[in-house]
Amino acid sequence: MTVFSLLLASPVGRLIRFAADLIDAVLEGRSIAERYERLSHMTQSELTRLGLTRGDLARAAVNGFSATPHRG
């Protein structure tokens, strides 16, 4: 085992990994919130061009969405 591997296996390493995961989760949450905010300010015609309805906003914010119009 390398020194780095030993560090990651230690309690300190687990704490570092936890902190990194927490930061990633917070950044992802902020990104989702910003996406939702941007979508919620769009008009219905703008949303329709994206293939979205108001009911789709939460899903689109969490899962992302294609900026190309939806063609049925």
Side-chain angles (χ1 to χ4, degrees), residues 18-40:
F18 174 77
D21 290 344
L22 181 62
I23 290 168
D24 286 344
V26 168
L27 292 175
E28 181 180 7
R30 287 185 63 174
S31 177
I32 290 168
E34 289 169 3
R35 207 166 25 247
Y36 184 87
E37 185 72 17
R38 194 170 53 249
L39 289 169
S40 70

Side-chain angles (χ1 to χ4, degrees), residues 2-71:
T2 66
V3 173
F4 186 70
S5 297
L6 288 173
L7 174 65
L8 289 178
S10 73
V12 172
R14 287 193 298 275
L15 182 61
I16 291 169
R17 279 197 315 271
F18 174 77
D21 290 344
L22 181 62
I23 290 168
D24 286 344
V26 168
L27 292 175
E28 181 180 7
R30 287 185 63 174
S31 177
I32 290 168
E34 289 169 3
R35 207 166 25 247
Y36 184 87
E37 185 72 17
R38 194 170 53 249
L39 289 169
S40 70
H41 284 91
M42 289 183 171
T43 65
Q44 188 57 51
S45 62
E46 291 171 323
L47 292 172
T48 299
R49 276 193 298 262
L50 294 174
L52 298 172
T53 65
R54 294 258 170 232
D56 296 327
L57 295 187
R59 177 194 49 79
V62 171
N63 298 329
F65 64 98
S66 173
T68 58
H70 176 73
R71 293 192 168 94

